[in-house]
Amino acid sequence: MRIGLPKEIKDQEFRVGLTPAAVQSLCQRGHQVMVQTEAGAGSGFEDSDYKAAGATLVADAATAWGQDLVVKVKEPQPSEYGYFRPDLILFTYLHLAAERSLTEALMASGMEAIAYETVTAADGRLPLLTPMSVIAGRLSVQFGARYLERQQGGRGVLLGGLPGVAPGTVVILGGGVVGTEAAKMAVGLGARVQIVDLNVDRLAYLETLFGSRVELLYSSSAQIAASVPQADLLIGAVLVPGRKAPTLVSKALVGQMRPGSVIIDVAVDQGGCIETLRPTSHSQPTYVEQGVVHFGVPNMPGAVPWTATQALNNATLPYVLKLASQGVDALATDSGLAAGLNVSAGQIVHPAVRGCFPTWPSSLARCWRRCEQPA
C-alpha cells in the first residue's frame, strides 16, 4: 500500500505520525511511504533519517495526502479539507464531538476516517489514547505550576509549599488515566491533592496507589461545589469516549475561585467539563476569566514531541501495519480497530459520535450532493 505522512500544521504541533523506525517496518513489508519534507523535524527526526528508512521524500502536502492511507497525529485543519476524497483512509486523532465543520467535511468526502481515540482493546481500554493521556496528565501539573507563578498571571503559589507555609491545593475532576498521572505529579511536588470521581471501584483502586497522600472524593454537585473554590490548580480530566464531556463546573462556580488560580482542562478537545474554558493554542495558551487563569491547549503533548511521538508510534504501529496490509478489510478482522471507525462512506458510524449530532441526516454526503444538483 502507498502511505502518506504529511507534516502537521496545527499551531506548534511538532509531533509526527510515523517515526523513521515505523517507516522502516512498513517498507520492509513492501509498502511505499511518502514523507513530506521536514515532517519529523519538530520531533528530532531529519529527512535523511526517513530516506535511510526507505521512505520517499515529497516536497508538498498534496502528494503526501494523495496516497491510499494517510497517517497523522492531529485532526485535519480546514486548509487540509481539500485533500479529502472517497478512496482515502485517514488514521489520526479526530475528536469529532467538538469539531462540527470537520465532521461535515469528512462526511461530504465519502472517505474512511479512523480515530485513534476510539480504537478499543479487548479489555475496553483505549490503547491509542492512553500514551497521550499519560503525557497530558503529567503536563497538566507541569503547566499548572508554571501559570501559578505571579509573572504568568497566577497567585504566586508554590505547589509544594515549604516548612511553615501550606502547600498549594490541586483538585482533579476525574480519576482515569489523566487524573491519575496528574495526581502522581502533584503528589511528587508536595501539593495537597484531591481526586473527585463517580466510580467507587476506581476510587478504591486509587487508594491502593496513593494511600492517604491523596483525598479521594465521590463526585456530586455538592462535592464539586465544595472542592473547586479551594483549588489553586483545577484540572479537568473527564473523558466520555467519542462524546462531549459533561459540564461539571459552572461559570458561577469558577467565580468563587481565588483570583490568580489556574484551570487546565485536558479534555478541551472533546468540549471540556468546565463552562468557562475554551480551546487555546501553544502560541497563546491562556486567558483570564472571572479572575482565573484558563489554559485550554488541546494538543498539550505537542509540547514534548520527542517523547510523545515515540510513545504514540509504539501504540499505533501495529494498527498501521494491519491497515497497510489489508486496507479497510482489517476492520472486519479486528473489532478493536473497527471501533476506531468514526466516518465511513458519508455516514457517521460510531454510535457515540453520532449521538453528538442527532439532528443530522444519516448521510450528509448524499444530502449535500442532492443540494448541489441543478434546480
Side-chain angles (χ1 to χ4, degrees):
M1 180 176 280
R2 296 178 302 121
I3 301 156
L5 180 65
K7 183 177 181 179
E8 299 292 328
I9 62 171
K10 191 178 181 75
D11 178 65
Q12 294 198 35
E13 178 52 74
F14 298 115
R15 290 172 291 178
V16 63
L18 295 169
T19 63
V23 168
Q24 185 176 41
S25 295
L26 288 161
C27 291
Q28 287 174 342
R29 289 165 172 78
H31 305 295
Q32 295 176 283
V33 185
M34 309 293 177
V35 177
Q36 186 179 355
T37 53
E38 298 187 350
S43 294
F45 303 120
E46 302 295 334
D47 289 344
S48 58
D49 297 328
Y50 285 103
K51 189 172 183 180
T56 299
L57 297 175
V58 297
D60 59 302
T63 303
W65 275 94
Q67 309 310 311
D68 305 312
L69 168 66
V70 167
V71 179
K72 290 181 82 281
V73 177
K74 289 303 293 178
E75 72 282 352
Q77 302 300 293
S79 63
E80 296 174 305
Y81 295 175
Y83 301 130
F84 295 177
R85 61 183 197 280
D87 60 344
L88 174 64
I89 303 172
L90 174 64
F91 194 35
T92 187
Y93 287 116
L94 290 173
H95 298 293
L96 295 181
E99 290 284 352
R100 185 183 182 94
S101 64
L102 174 57
T103 306
E104 291 174 342
L106 292 172
M107 293 175 71
S109 73
M111 68 192 295
E112 308 295 305
I114 305 170
Y116 292 160
E117 70 271 11
T118 61
V119 171
T120 308
D123 60 1
R125 291 181 303 106
L126 302 173
L128 307 190
L129 189 61
T130 296
M132 298 304 100
S133 295
V134 170
I135 292 173
R138 296 181 181 185
L139 281 176
S140 67
V141 175
Q142 187 169 309
F143 282 126
R146 177 186 176 192
Y147 287 104
L148 276 170
E149 296 172 5
R150 187 64 179 172
Q151 291 85 348
Q152 304 297 327
R155 293 189 63 223
V157 172
L158 181 66
L159 282 178
L162 63 147
V165 181
T169 297
V170 178
V171 174
I172 303 168
L173 303 178
V177 175
V178 170
T180 301
E181 296 301 322
K184 288 178 182 178
M185 293 291 284
V187 167
L189 289 174
R192 176 194 175 209
V193 182
Q194 293 182 349
I195 297 178
V196 183
D197 197 280
L198 269 175
N199 189 323
V200 175
D201 291 337
R202 183 66 182 181
L203 291 173
Y205 163 75
L206 292 172
E207 184 180 36
T208 67
L209 190 63
F210 293 113
S212 61
R213 294 176 297 171
V214 173
E215 298 172 54
L216 302 168
L217 303 169
Y218 183 77
S219 181
S220 66
S221 297
Q223 183 58 65
I224 291 171
S227 293
V228 167
Q230 302 177 39
D232 295 299
L233 171 59
L234 175 64
I235 297 174
V238 176
L239 172 71
V240 181
R243 291 184 180 271
K244 183 184 182 302
T247 300
L248 301 181
V249 179
S250 67
K251 181 176 181 178
L253 188 54
V254 170
Q256 296 180 37
M257 296 178 70
R258 288 169 293 214
S261 299
V262 175
I263 295 176
I264 294 179
D265 197 332
V266 178
V268 65
D269 48 7
Q270 288 286 103
C273 65
I274 297 161
E275 185 178 10
T276 53
L277 201 137
R278 62 178 185 268
T280 60
S281 66
H282 283 293
S283 294
Q284 295 181 305
T286 64
Y287 60 92
V288 176
E289 185 169 336
Q290 302 285 90
V292 176
V293 179
H294 290 61
F295 179 100
V297 177
N299 58 325
M300 286 173 60
V304 288
W306 187 86
T307 299
T309 290
Q310 294 178 80
L312 181 61
N313 271 242
N314 291 342
T316 59
L317 182 58
Y319 297 99
V320 174
L321 291 172
K322 286 184 180 180
L323 289 169
S325 297
Q326 304 173 47
V328 292
D329 292 342
L331 305 181
T333 61
D334 188 329
S335 59
L337 181 58
L341 187 64
N342 280 207
V343 178
S344 175
Q347 298 186 34
I348 301 175
V349 297
H350 193 281
V353 177
R354 191 166 58 239
C356 297
F357 306 103
T359 61
W360 283 11
S362 60
S363 174
L364 189 61
R366 287 198 295 269
C367 177
W368 278 19
R369 281 195 287 269
R370 285 198 303 270
C371 293
E372 289 170 355
Q373 297 302 312

